[in-house]
Structures are given as C-alpha cells and as structure tokens.
C-alpha cells in the first residue's frame, strides 16, 4: 500500500506544479506521463505474453531463394595502384619565414 500512496503523492505534486504553467507545458507533462504509462503497460503485457505463448513443435521449412533473370553480371574490379617505396622516404623540413 505504501507504493500506491507514494505514487498518489507524486501525482498530486505534479498537478500542483503544472496547474500554474501554460497549456503547452501541461500538455508536454501529460505526454511524458502517457509515454511512461504505455511503457509500463508493455512491460506488464510482455510478461503475460511470454508465459502464455505456446512453443512450436515443428520448425518451419526453409525455402530456396529464387534466382532472378535480371541479375547483373559481375564486372572486373579496377586494378589497385601499388605504392612505391620512395613514397615513404622522409622529406627535408622547410625553414619558417621570419615575421617582418
């Protein structure tokens, strides 16, 4: 019974806080509460569905995928460029220009 009393106190607090707000804020609070209620209902129903769901005795057969007559032909991949060893040689640093 304590949980219900706590929830009732929280709802009364929400009501007193939102009674002084504009309609847009009050509607947003209601949307948040409705979202929470829907989540809780899904959780409760999910438990019932999981326990009441019958198990299948036979697995469904797998069917072969039909081949389409419009399948594109494979094209040759572009040849990859080979990196030469000289690309990895260090470059000499350039001295910075002194400010005038």
């Amino acid at each position: 019974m304590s949980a219900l009393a706590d929830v009732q106190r929280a709802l009364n607090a929400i009501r007193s806080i939102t009674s002084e707000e504009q309609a847009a804020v009050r509607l947003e609070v209601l949307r948040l509460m409705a979202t929470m209620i829907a989540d809780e209902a899904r959780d409760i129903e999910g438990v019932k569905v999981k326990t009441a769901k019958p198990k299948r005795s036979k697995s469904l057969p797998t069917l072969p995928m039909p081949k389409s007559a419009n399948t594109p032909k494979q094209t040759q991949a572009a040849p990859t460029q080979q990196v030469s060893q000289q690309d990895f040689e260090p470059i000499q640093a350039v001295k910075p220009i002194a400010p005038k």
Side-chain angles (χ1 to χ4, degrees):
M1 208 58 172
S2 175
L4 290 176
D6 291 342
V7 169
Q8 186 62 47
R9 278 190 220 114
L11 290 172
N12 288 337
I14 292 170
R15 180 182 289 159
S16 67
I17 292 169
T18 58
S19 65
E20 301 167 2
E21 295 294 328
Q22 294 180 357
V25 174
R26 294 171 75 182
L27 288 173
E28 184 65 20
V29 169
L30 287 174
R31 186 191 65 76
L32 289 171
M33 292 171 63
T35 302
M36 185 193 65
I37 290 168
D39 289 343
E40 287 296 316
R42 275 192 292 270
D43 288 345
I44 292 169
E45 289 175 353
V47 172
K48 289 181 182 178
V49 169
K50 288 179 183 176
T51 57
K53 195 174 187 180
K55 293 184 178 180
R56 291 185 180 173
S57 59
K58 292 170 69 177
S59 63
L60 297 176
T62 57
L63 300 175
M65 293 294 291
K67 294 184 179 178
S68 174
N70 297 331
T71 55
K73 295 180 180 178
Q74 292 182 351
T75 59
Q76 285 185 334
T80 58
Q81 295 178 352
Q82 295 182 355
V83 179
S84 64
Q85 288 291 1
Q86 58 182 311
D87 289 343
F88 296 111
E89 293 178 9
I91 301 173
Q92 290 184 347
V94 178
K95 293 182 183 180
I97 301 173
K100 293 182 180 181

